[in-house]
């Protein structure tokens, strides 16, 4: 922008200001809270239902995770989960359902490129870094915990 006149710079700044989206933080936080709360309520309903059917707490938790992932994948396939995520923001993207969406969406998008080069190569495009850094961080923290235990810092 070195050769622009002051008038052109001002016009450009106004253009950028007009095109930059304005965010209402309190409203976005409320939407995320509501969306995440509804997802958690559905999870609690599934958990309680499984326990009422006679499953123990661990098995109920496993079924809860499987059912929430299935619901998320189906909603992603029907192109409904992206709309929920757009409205609810982090409230829809942080829980296990958001992780399932991040795996299902690329699989659906790249299926036309074939099983290997499409789905096989692209399925973890979004979720891959989360898995990688999650495993690395847990390994690092475990190693630090082990070291501090050997040094007698932690009881």
């Amino acid at each position: 922008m070195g050769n622009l006149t002051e008038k052109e710079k001002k016009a450009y700044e106004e253009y950028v200001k007009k095109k930059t989206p304005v965010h209402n933080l309190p409203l976005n936080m409320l939407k995320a809270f509501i969306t995440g709360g509804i997802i958690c309520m559905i999870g609690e309903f599934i958990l309680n239902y499984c326990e009422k059917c006679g499953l123990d707490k661990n098995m109920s938790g496993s079924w809860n995770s499987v059912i929430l992932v299935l619901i998320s994948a189906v909603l992603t396939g029907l192109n409904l989960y992206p709309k929920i995520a757009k409205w609810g923001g982090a409230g829809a993207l942080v829980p296990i359902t958001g992780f399932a969406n991040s795996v299902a969406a690329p699989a659906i998008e790249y299926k036309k490129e074939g099983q290997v080069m499409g789905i096989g190569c692209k399925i973890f495009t979004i979720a891959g870094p989360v898995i990688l850094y999650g495993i690395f961080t847990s390994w690092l923290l475990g190693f630090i915990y082990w070291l501090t235990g050997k040094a007698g810092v932690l009881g």
Side-chain angles (χ1 to χ4, degrees):
M1 290 182 57
N3 297 337
L4 296 178
T5 66
E6 286 300 317
K7 185 176 181 182
E8 290 173 324
K9 287 181 185 177
K10 188 173 182 178
Y12 179 73
E13 288 174 10
E14 288 177 18
Y15 171 77
V16 169
K17 191 174 185 179
K18 190 166 90 172
K19 290 294 183 180
T20 303
V22 178
H23 299 285
N24 184 340
L25 183 61
L27 180 62
N28 288 347
M29 289 170 55
L30 178 64
K31 288 178 179 180
F33 180 78
I34 291 169
T35 305
I38 290 171
I39 291 171
C40 290
M41 281 177 33
I42 293 168
E44 282 296 318
F45 173 77
I46 294 167
L47 193 63
N48 291 337
Y49 182 78
C50 289
E51 287 177 354
K52 283 185 181 180
C53 288
L55 298 175
D56 65 12
K57 195 170 187 99
N58 287 336
M59 189 57 72
S60 296
S62 297
W63 274 105
N64 186 21
S65 296
V66 168
I67 292 169
L68 284 173
V69 167
L70 176 66
I71 291 170
S72 175
V74 169
L75 290 175
T76 300
L78 296 172
N79 201 29
L80 294 174
Y81 202 88
K83 293 173 184 172
I84 295 168
K86 185 176 181 179
W87 187 84
L93 298 177
V94 172
I96 192 171
T97 54
F99 185 77
N101 174 60
S102 73
V103 173
I108 292 166
E109 183 177 345
Y110 294 107
K111 71 180 177 183
K112 60 185 167 278
E113 295 180 24
Q115 293 291 316
V116 175
M117 296 308 289
I119 296 172
C121 291
K122 308 283 178 136
I123 193 165
F124 292 112
T125 302
I126 298 170
V130 174
I131 295 169
L132 170 71
Y133 291 112
I135 290 172
F136 175 74
T137 302
S138 65
W139 176 87
L140 182 64
L141 292 174
F143 183 70
I144 291 169
Y145 180 76
W146 177 77
L147 276 178
T148 56
K150 287 289 186 186
V153 175
L154 296 175

